[in-house]
PDB file of all heavy atoms in Angstrom:
ATOM      1  N   GLU U 162       6.249 -13.900  15.145  1.00  0.00           N
ATOM      2  CA  GLU U 162       7.771 -13.912  15.197  1.00  0.00           C
ATOM      3  C   GLU U 162       8.264 -13.414  16.495  1.00  0.00           C
ATOM      4  O   GLU U 162       7.681 -13.657  17.544  1.00  0.00           O
ATOM      5  CB  GLU U 162       8.208 -12.993  14.003  1.00  0.00           C
ATOM      6  CG  GLU U 162       7.645 -13.505  12.680  1.00  0.00           C
ATOM      7  CD  GLU U 162       8.190 -12.833  11.505  1.00  0.00           C
ATOM      8  OE1 GLU U 162       9.339 -12.279  11.548  1.00  0.00           O
ATOM      9  OE2 GLU U 162       7.530 -12.757  10.412  1.00  0.00           O
ATOM     10  N   ARG U 205       2.965  -3.482  13.945  1.00  0.00           N
ATOM     11  CA  ARG U 205       4.375  -3.667  14.400  1.00  0.00           C
ATOM     12  C   ARG U 205       4.708  -2.515  15.257  1.00  0.00           C
ATOM     13  O   ARG U 205       4.558  -1.378  14.866  1.00  0.00           O
ATOM     14  CB  ARG U 205       5.330  -3.666  13.204  1.00  0.00           C
ATOM     15  CG  ARG U 205       4.939  -4.677  12.134  1.00  0.00           C
ATOM     16  CD  ARG U 205       5.682  -5.963  12.197  1.00  0.00           C
ATOM     17  NE  ARG U 205       5.149  -6.951  11.241  1.00  0.00           N
ATOM     18  CZ  ARG U 205       5.920  -7.598  10.374  1.00  0.00           C
ATOM     19  NH1 ARG U 205       7.192  -7.355  10.280  1.00  0.00           N
ATOM     20  NH2 ARG U 205       5.309  -8.461   9.572  1.00  0.00           N
ATOM     21  N   GLU U 207       7.085  -0.696  15.802  1.00  0.00           N
ATOM     22  CA  GLU U 207       8.384  -0.212  15.267  1.00  0.00           C
ATOM     23  C   GLU U 207       8.770   1.119  15.905  1.00  0.00           C
ATOM     24  O   GLU U 207       8.058   2.073  15.654  1.00  0.00           O
ATOM     25  CB  GLU U 207       8.372  -0.040  13.780  1.00  0.00           C
ATOM     26  CG  GLU U 207       7.818  -1.212  12.982  1.00  0.00           C
ATOM     27  CD  GLU U 207       8.901  -2.202  12.577  1.00  0.00           C
ATOM     28  OE1 GLU U 207      10.098  -1.979  13.049  1.00  0.00           O
ATOM     29  OE2 GLU U 207       8.613  -3.152  11.911  1.00  0.00           O
ATOM     30  N   ARG U 213       9.923   3.873   5.564  1.00  0.00           N
ATOM     31  CA  ARG U 213       9.227   2.679   5.142  1.00  0.00           C
ATOM     32  C   ARG U 213       8.552   1.884   6.254  1.00  0.00           C
ATOM     33  O   ARG U 213       8.167   0.711   6.021  1.00  0.00           O
ATOM     34  CB  ARG U 213      10.180   1.800   4.325  1.00  0.00           C
ATOM     35  CG  ARG U 213      11.421   1.313   5.108  1.00  0.00           C
ATOM     36  CD  ARG U 213      12.181   0.342   4.300  1.00  0.00           C
ATOM     37  NE  ARG U 213      13.112  -0.465   5.118  1.00  0.00           N
ATOM     38  CZ  ARG U 213      13.820  -1.489   4.712  1.00  0.00           C
ATOM     39  NH1 ARG U 213      13.815  -1.846   3.425  1.00  0.00           N
ATOM     40  NH2 ARG U 213      14.592  -2.149   5.548  1.00  0.00           N
ATOM     41  N   HIS U 214       8.442   2.394   7.430  1.00  0.00           N
ATOM     42  CA  HIS U 214       7.815   1.743   8.594  1.00  0.00           C
ATOM     43  C   HIS U 214       6.503   2.438   9.061  1.00  0.00           C
ATOM     44  O   HIS U 214       6.631   3.627   9.366  1.00  0.00           O
ATOM     45  CB  HIS U 214       8.807   1.507   9.769  1.00  0.00           C
ATOM     46  CG  HIS U 214       9.791   0.440   9.451  1.00  0.00           C
ATOM     47  ND1 HIS U 214      11.034   0.695   9.024  1.00  0.00           N
ATOM     48  CD2 HIS U 214       9.679  -0.909   9.614  1.00  0.00           C
ATOM     49  CE1 HIS U 214      11.681  -0.406   8.873  1.00  0.00           C
ATOM     50  NE2 HIS U 214      10.918  -1.408   9.121  1.00  0.00           N
ATOM     51  N   LEU U 215       5.499   1.700   9.200  1.00  0.00           N
ATOM     52  CA  LEU U 215       4.311   2.187   9.892  1.00  0.00           C
ATOM     53  C   LEU U 215       4.097   1.291  11.088  1.00  0.00           C
ATOM     54  O   LEU U 215       4.671   0.165  11.066  1.00  0.00           O
ATOM     55  CB  LEU U 215       3.085   2.097   8.943  1.00  0.00           C
ATOM     56  CG  LEU U 215       3.104   2.996   7.717  1.00  0.00           C
ATOM     57  CD1 LEU U 215       2.104   2.466   6.695  1.00  0.00           C
ATOM     58  CD2 LEU U 215       2.719   4.395   8.097  1.00  0.00           C
ATOM     59  N   THR U 216       3.258   1.660  12.038  1.00  0.00           N
ATOM     60  CA  THR U 216       2.950   0.675  13.147  1.00  0.00           C
ATOM     61  C   THR U 216       1.723  -0.133  12.748  1.00  0.00           C
ATOM     62  O   THR U 216       1.487  -1.231  13.292  1.00  0.00           O
ATOM     63  CB  THR U 216       2.698   1.464  14.405  1.00  0.00           C
ATOM     64  OG1 THR U 216       1.726   2.424  14.182  1.00  0.00           O
ATOM     65  CG2 THR U 216       3.985   2.031  14.984  1.00  0.00           C
ATOM     66  N   TYR U 218      -0.005  -1.438   9.122  1.00  0.00           N
ATOM     67  CA  TYR U 218       0.035  -1.410   7.642  1.00  0.00           C
ATOM     68  C   TYR U 218      -0.804  -2.567   7.078  1.00  0.00           C
ATOM     69  O   TYR U 218      -1.200  -3.441   7.723  1.00  0.00           O
ATOM     70  CB  TYR U 218       1.499  -1.472   7.134  1.00  0.00           C
ATOM     71  CG  TYR U 218       2.191  -2.826   7.386  1.00  0.00           C
ATOM     72  CD1 TYR U 218       2.229  -3.822   6.325  1.00  0.00           C
ATOM     73  CD2 TYR U 218       2.726  -3.140   8.497  1.00  0.00           C
ATOM     74  CE1 TYR U 218       2.786  -5.033   6.487  1.00  0.00           C
ATOM     75  CE2 TYR U 218       3.374  -4.460   8.751  1.00  0.00           C
ATOM     76  CZ  TYR U 218       3.355  -5.312   7.701  1.00  0.00           C
ATOM     77  OH  TYR U 218       3.970  -6.504   7.849  1.00  0.00           O
ATOM     78  N   HIS U 220      -1.166  -5.727   4.773  1.00  0.00           N
ATOM     79  CA  HIS U 220      -0.327  -6.780   4.406  1.00  0.00           C
ATOM     80  C   HIS U 220      -1.037  -7.685   3.535  1.00  0.00           C
ATOM     81  O   HIS U 220      -2.165  -8.178   3.829  1.00  0.00           O
ATOM     82  CB  HIS U 220      -0.013  -7.517   5.825  1.00  0.00           C
ATOM     83  CG  HIS U 220       1.301  -8.240   5.791  1.00  0.00           C
ATOM     84  ND1 HIS U 220       1.809  -8.778   6.978  1.00  0.00           N
ATOM     85  CD2 HIS U 220       2.184  -8.532   4.857  1.00  0.00           C
ATOM     86  CE1 HIS U 220       2.934  -9.336   6.760  1.00  0.00           C
ATOM     87  NE2 HIS U 220       3.233  -9.223   5.465  1.00  0.00           N
ATOM     88  N   GLU U 350      13.393  -3.713   0.717  1.00  0.00           N
ATOM     89  CA  GLU U 350      12.501  -4.829   0.817  1.00  0.00           C
ATOM     90  C   GLU U 350      10.945  -4.491   0.733  1.00  0.00           C
ATOM     91  O   GLU U 350      10.503  -3.626   1.469  1.00  0.00           O
ATOM     92  CB  GLU U 350      12.686  -5.613   2.126  1.00  0.00           C
ATOM     93  CG  GLU U 350      11.707  -6.706   2.433  1.00  0.00           C
ATOM     94  CD  GLU U 350      11.761  -7.224   3.872  1.00  0.00           C
ATOM     95  OE1 GLU U 350      12.846  -7.144   4.497  1.00  0.00           O
ATOM     96  OE2 GLU U 350      10.720  -7.674   4.371  1.00  0.00           O
ATOM     97  N   ILE U 351      10.299  -5.178  -0.142  1.00  0.00           N
ATOM     98  CA  ILE U 351       8.763  -5.003  -0.100  1.00  0.00           C
ATOM     99  C   ILE U 351       8.058  -6.256   0.101  1.00  0.00           C
ATOM    100  O   ILE U 351       6.860  -6.287   0.349  1.00  0.00           O
ATOM    101  CB  ILE U 351       8.172  -4.311  -1.376  1.00  0.00           C
ATOM    102  CG1 ILE U 351       8.469  -5.107  -2.627  1.00  0.00           C
ATOM    103  CG2 ILE U 351       8.710  -2.939  -1.537  1.00  0.00           C
ATOM    104  CD1 ILE U 351       7.526  -4.683  -3.814  1.00  0.00           C
ATOM    105  N   SER U 352       8.808  -7.421   0.048  1.00  0.00           N
ATOM    106  CA  SER U 352       8.132  -8.652   0.437  1.00  0.00           C
ATOM    107  C   SER U 352       9.134  -9.659   0.961  1.00  0.00           C
ATOM    108  O   SER U 352      10.298  -9.637   0.658  1.00  0.00           O
ATOM    109  CB  SER U 352       7.264  -9.224  -0.729  1.00  0.00           C
ATOM    110  OG  SER U 352       8.031 -10.251  -1.398  1.00  0.00           O
ATOM    111  N   THR U 353       8.581 -10.570   1.829  1.00  0.00           N
ATOM    112  CA  THR U 353       9.351 -11.716   2.284  1.00  0.00           C
ATOM    113  C   THR U 353       8.559 -12.968   2.155  1.00  0.00           C
ATOM    114  O   THR U 353       7.348 -12.919   2.472  1.00  0.00           O
ATOM    115  CB  THR U 353       9.749 -11.500   3.835  1.00  0.00           C
ATOM    116  OG1 THR U 353      10.690 -10.474   3.933  1.00  0.00           O
ATOM    117  CG2 THR U 353      10.345 -12.834   4.417  1.00  0.00           C
ATOM    118  N   GLY U 396       4.515 -12.379   2.151  1.00  0.00           N
ATOM    119  CA  GLY U 396       3.792 -11.251   2.588  1.00  0.00           C
ATOM    120  C   GLY U 396       4.383 -10.007   1.964  1.00  0.00           C
ATOM    121  O   GLY U 396       5.584  -9.875   1.906  1.00  0.00           O
ATOM    122  N   MET U 397       3.480  -9.107   1.455  1.00  0.00           N
ATOM    123  CA  MET U 397       3.979  -7.935   0.814  1.00  0.00           C
ATOM    124  C   MET U 397       3.286  -6.744   1.457  1.00  0.00           C
ATOM    125  O   MET U 397       2.068  -6.762   1.679  1.00  0.00           O
ATOM    126  CB  MET U 397       3.664  -7.876  -0.656  1.00  0.00           C
ATOM    127  CG  MET U 397       4.165  -6.737  -1.457  1.00  0.00           C
ATOM    128  SD  MET U 397       3.779  -6.747  -3.232  1.00  0.00           S
ATOM    129  CE  MET U 397       4.932  -8.024  -3.793  1.00  0.00           C
ATOM    130  N   GLY U 398       4.033  -5.693   1.847  1.00  0.00           N
ATOM    131  CA  GLY U 398       3.471  -4.537   2.414  1.00  0.00           C
ATOM    132  C   GLY U 398       2.791  -3.627   1.388  1.00  0.00           C
ATOM    133  O   GLY U 398       3.529  -3.166   0.493  1.00  0.00           O
ATOM    134  N   ARG U 401       4.329  -0.127   1.203  1.00  0.00           N
ATOM    135  CA  ARG U 401       5.718  -0.080   0.665  1.00  0.00           C
ATOM    136  C   ARG U 401       5.686  -0.160  -0.948  1.00  0.00           C
ATOM    137  O   ARG U 401       6.370   0.462  -1.645  1.00  0.00           O
ATOM    138  CB  ARG U 401       6.558  -1.214   1.209  1.00  0.00           C
ATOM    139  CG  ARG U 401       7.059  -0.877   2.537  1.00  0.00           C
ATOM    140  CD  ARG U 401       8.338  -1.647   2.935  1.00  0.00           C
ATOM    141  NE  ARG U 401       8.547  -1.563   4.329  1.00  0.00           N
ATOM    142  CZ  ARG U 401       9.436  -2.262   4.963  1.00  0.00           C
ATOM    143  NH1 ARG U 401      10.129  -3.144   4.335  1.00  0.00           N
ATOM    144  NH2 ARG U 401       9.588  -2.061   6.267  1.00  0.00           N
ATOM    145  N   ILE U 412       6.324   6.593   3.273  1.00  0.00           N
ATOM    146  CA  ILE U 412       5.255   5.605   3.368  1.00  0.00           C
ATOM    147  C   ILE U 412       3.989   6.131   3.892  1.00  0.00           C
ATOM    148  O   ILE U 412       2.890   5.697   3.567  1.00  0.00           O
ATOM    149  CB  ILE U 412       5.728   4.332   4.092  1.00  0.00           C
ATOM    150  CG1 ILE U 412       4.811   3.140   3.824  1.00  0.00           C
ATOM    151  CG2 ILE U 412       5.876   4.606   5.593  1.00  0.00           C
ATOM    152  CD1 ILE U 412       5.340   1.828   4.362  1.00  0.00           C
TER     153      ILE U 412
HETATM  154  P1  LIG V   1      11.924  -4.683   7.847  1.00  0.00           P
HETATM  155  O1  LIG V   1      13.092  -5.527   8.068  1.00  0.00           O
HETATM  156  O2  LIG V   1      11.911  -3.758   6.674  1.00  0.00           O
HETATM  157  O3  LIG V   1      11.375  -4.031   9.047  1.00  0.00           O
HETATM  158  P2  LIG V   1      10.491  -7.161   8.004  1.00  0.00           P
HETATM  159  O4  LIG V   1      11.436  -8.081   7.317  1.00  0.00           O
HETATM  160  O5  LIG V   1      10.557  -7.128   9.499  1.00  0.00           O
HETATM  161  O6  LIG V   1      10.673  -5.669   7.463  1.00  0.00           O
HETATM  162  P3  LIG V   1       8.361  -8.908   7.296  1.00  0.00           P
HETATM  163  O7  LIG V   1       8.107  -9.504   8.612  1.00  0.00           O
HETATM  164  O8  LIG V   1       9.214  -9.644   6.292  1.00  0.00           O
HETATM  165  O9  LIG V   1       9.003  -7.463   7.500  1.00  0.00           O
HETATM  166  O10 LIG V   1       7.015  -8.431   6.609  1.00  0.00           O
HETATM  167  C1  LIG V   1       6.621  -8.647   5.307  1.00  0.00           C
HETATM  168  C2  LIG V   1       6.421  -7.343   4.589  1.00  0.00           C
HETATM  169  O11 LIG V   1       5.639  -6.442   5.258  1.00  0.00           O
HETATM  170  C3  LIG V   1       7.748  -6.580   4.389  1.00  0.00           C
HETATM  171  O12 LIG V   1       8.421  -7.063   3.282  1.00  0.00           O
HETATM  172  C4  LIG V   1       7.228  -5.161   4.157  1.00  0.00           C
HETATM  173  O13 LIG V   1       6.787  -4.963   2.839  1.00  0.00           O
HETATM  174  C5  LIG V   1       5.964  -5.081   5.080  1.00  0.00           C
HETATM  175  N1  LIG V   1       6.231  -4.486   6.320  1.00  0.00           N
HETATM  176  C6  LIG V   1       6.961  -5.069   7.364  1.00  0.00           C
HETATM  177  N2  LIG V   1       7.004  -4.176   8.425  1.00  0.00           N
HETATM  178  C7  LIG V   1       6.358  -3.085   8.002  1.00  0.00           C
HETATM  179  C8  LIG V   1       6.133  -1.839   8.620  1.00  0.00           C
HETATM  180  N3  LIG V   1       6.480  -1.599   9.863  1.00  0.00           N
HETATM  181  N4  LIG V   1       5.502  -0.837   7.861  1.00  0.00           N
HETATM  182  C9  LIG V   1       5.044  -1.116   6.674  1.00  0.00           C
HETATM  183  N5  LIG V   1       5.299  -2.256   5.997  1.00  0.00           N
HETATM  184  C10 LIG V   1       5.971  -3.201   6.683  1.00  0.00           C
END
Side-chain angles (χ1 to χ4, degrees):
E162 301 189 26
R205 309 262 172 126
E207 307 271 6
R213 61 175 198 172
H214 285 97
L215 293 163
T216 53
Y218 70 97
H220 207 169
E350 174 190 332
I351 63 163
S352 97
T353 289
M397 184 181 285
R401 282 201 193 172
I412 193 168

